[in-house]
């Protein structure tokens, strides 16, 4: 791999695939994903940690990719919305967002879904108040909040009955 002046080599796993890129140390994970790896699912809303549109997982935990340095992801496992479905099947949260009409323009949706799946996976008390609190970091300018929470409750309830 050819490195430009001031660039460093970073090797990480993205959606289960090993990737090696040469980047300047100041490059965010969000820019590395979108501009160097062609993964544009994570969105750049505010680029300053205020909207949640860039939410991805690093080692299974939700992070804001705009505030995460790509060099800090050396040897880490990064998961983006593109890696959420398996075998061509939508993740249950993706299906629930469709069924509950939980988006309008869709710009915030990848971040909403990555946060929502992390919320349930991390074992938080999944009552309505905690859903509201956890998801408060993901803004939606279309104000689809009631539908987003309904989608999360749908997956929560399916999980608790073993239906999903
Ligand atoms: Fe990262 Fe808004 S783009 S929080
Ligand atoms: Fe448009 Fe959320 S669906 S910003």
């Amino acid at each position: 791999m050819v490195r430009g002046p001031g660039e460093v080599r970073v090797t990480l796993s993205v959606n289960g695939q090993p990737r090696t890129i040469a980047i300047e140390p100041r490059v965010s994970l969000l820019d590395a994903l979108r501009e160097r790896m062609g993964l544009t699912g994570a969105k750049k809303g505010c680029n300053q940690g205020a909207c949640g549109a860039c939410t991805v997982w690093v080692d299974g935990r939700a992070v804001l990719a705009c505030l995460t340095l790509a060099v800090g992801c050396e040897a880490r496992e990064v998961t983006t919305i593109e890696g959420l479905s398996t075998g061509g099947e939508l993740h249950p949260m993706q299906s629930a967002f469709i069924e509950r009409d939980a988006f309008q323009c869709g710009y915030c949706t990848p971040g909403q879904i990555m946060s929502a799946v992390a919320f349930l996976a991390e074992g938080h008390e999944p009552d309505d108040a905690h859903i509201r609190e956890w998801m408060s970091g993901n803004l939606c300018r279309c104000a689809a909040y009631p539908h987003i929470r309904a989608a999360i409750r749908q997956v929560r309830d399916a999980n608790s009955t073993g239906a999903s």
Side-chain angles (χ1 to χ4, degrees):
M1 166 172 296
V2 177
R3 277 188 291 153
E7 289 185 337
V8 295
R9 180 196 292 246
V10 179
T11 299
L12 66 169
S13 173
V14 181
N15 299 330
Q17 301 292 319
R19 305 288 296 256
T20 299
I21 53 175
I23 52 171
E24 294 181 32
R26 63 182 176 82
V27 172
S28 70
L29 176 60
L30 181 61
D31 284 344
L33 289 169
R34 292 181 56 84
E35 296 171 15
R36 304 299 299 274
M37 302 184 218
L39 294 169
T40 56
K43 296 293 183 278
K44 185 180 283 189
C46 64
N47 205 30
Q48 55 184 12
C51 76
C54 63
T55 304
V56 300
W57 304 340
V58 175
D59 292 341
R61 301 194 69 90
V63 302
L64 297 173
C66 72
L67 295 186
T68 303
L69 289 174
V71 293
C73 295
E74 173 74 29
R76 302 285 193 86
E77 171 66 44
V78 175
T79 307
T80 70
I81 190 74
E82 289 93 339
L84 196 58
S85 62
T86 51
E89 294 284 321
L90 291 178
H91 186 281
M93 190 67 76
Q94 292 174 303
S95 299
F97 266 63
I98 294 170
E99 291 162 15
R100 295 292 177 161
D101 205 15
F103 51 87
Q104 291 183 40
C105 77
Y107 196 81
C108 72
T109 308
Q112 301 277 4
I113 290 174
M114 296 305 282
S115 288
V117 176
F119 170 73
L120 294 180
E122 289 181 13
H124 301 279
E125 180 65 37
D127 59 28
D128 292 358
H130 284 94
I131 293 173
R132 184 185 293 265
E133 181 183 344
W134 177 269
M135 296 302 295
S136 64
N138 288 83
L139 305 184
C140 176
R141 296 193 68 175
C142 301
Y145 299 113
H147 298 258
I148 291 167
R149 291 195 292 270
I152 298 170
R153 289 196 299 271
Q154 176 173 314
V155 177
R156 174 199 67 190
D157 294 345
N159 288 348
S160 67
T161 60
S164 167

